[in-house]
């Protein structure tokens, strides 16, 4: 898990902002210890180690910031406009984007959204302060869910939505750039 590795680096006093990325995760997880599916070479599995100087009660702002950075970065890199489902899901809404991948389902079984990514923020507190926070992001870039009966009707990928393979490095760079730009807002009180 990139979040686990980020916590190890935090405890070794690595400064902010550190990026941890993996080609494959064997222990990826989401909220409530759900498993996060990260097949090799197809998804983004990344964590950002941060040391924000914000009040602990504002730690949830990091998840919101990461969500905005994810949808902005994805749109910048691919042209795909995605949405956020509170509190931590990056989704494609049931509209024109989903027409192509929903053709296999009867109209009365179409999902309202398909999950493209998720955010898991984990924080460490010291006394009354926030010591560090790890913001984990998983994005289905070129994941093929056609042979995964459990996930194919609830998840999708950027390549399925765009109808073409997507360069993971370009998406990674765009999301991190958007995150860093918005991260500065935390100190401006925004």
């Amino acid at each position: 898990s990139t979040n686990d590795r980020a916590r190890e680096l935090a405890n070794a006093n690595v400064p902010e902002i550190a990026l941890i990325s993996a080609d494959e995760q064997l222990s990826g997880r989401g909220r409530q210890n759900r498993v996060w599916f990260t097949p090799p070479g197809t998804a983004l599995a990344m964590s950002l180690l941060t040391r924000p100087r914000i009040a602990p009660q504002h730690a949830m702002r990091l998840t919101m910031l990461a969500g905005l950075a994810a949808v902005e970065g994805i749109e910048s890199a691919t042209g795909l406009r995605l949405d956020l489902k509170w509190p931590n899901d990056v989704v494609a809404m049931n509209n024109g984007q989903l027409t192509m991948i929903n053709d296999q389902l009867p109209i009365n079984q179409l999902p309202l959204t398909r999950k493209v990514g998720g955010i898991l923020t984990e924080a460490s507190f010291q006394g009354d302060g926030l010591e560090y926070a790890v913001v984990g992001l998983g994005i289905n870039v070129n994941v093929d869910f056609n042979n995964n009966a459990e996930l194919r009707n609830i998840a999708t990928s950027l390549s399925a939505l765009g109808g073409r393979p997507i360069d993971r490095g370009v998406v990674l760079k765009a999301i991190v750039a958007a995150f860093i730009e918005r991260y500065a807002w935390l100190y401006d009180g925004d």
Side-chain angles (χ1 to χ4, degrees), residues 130-142:
L130 182 62
E131 181 183 16
Y132 65 84
V134 173
V135 181
L137 289 101
I139 305 293
N140 301 323
V141 180
N142 295 307

Side-chain angles (χ1 to χ4, degrees), residues 75-156:
E75 184 172 12
S76 171
T78 68
L80 295 170
R81 172 93 170 97
L82 299 179
D83 294 286
L84 296 172
K85 179 181 163 197
W86 182 256
N88 66 331
D89 290 342
V90 178
V91 298
M93 301 301 289
N94 188 12
N95 57 25
Q97 285 181 324
L98 294 179
T99 303
M100 173 176 42
I101 59 176
N102 280 333
D103 285 342
Q104 65 212 29
L105 294 174
I107 194 76
N108 63 343
Q109 293 180 10
L110 294 181
L112 296 176
T113 62
R114 292 268 179 105
K115 189 167 180 174
V116 176
I119 302 158
L120 178 64
T121 302
E122 299 174 316
S124 176
F125 302 94
Q126 190 170 50
D128 291 338
L130 182 62
E131 181 183 16
Y132 65 84
V134 173
V135 181
L137 289 101
I139 305 293
N140 301 323
V141 180
N142 295 307
V143 180
D144 181 358
F145 291 101
N146 287 327
N147 295 321
N148 188 321
E150 181 182 348
L151 297 175
R152 72 175 163 232
N153 294 328
I154 59 172
T156 191

Side-chain angles (χ1 to χ4, degrees), residues 171-184:
V171 176
L172 173 76
K173 182 178 177 182
I175 291 173
V176 171
F179 183 89
I180 290 171
E181 180 181 331
R182 288 194 178 272
Y183 188 75

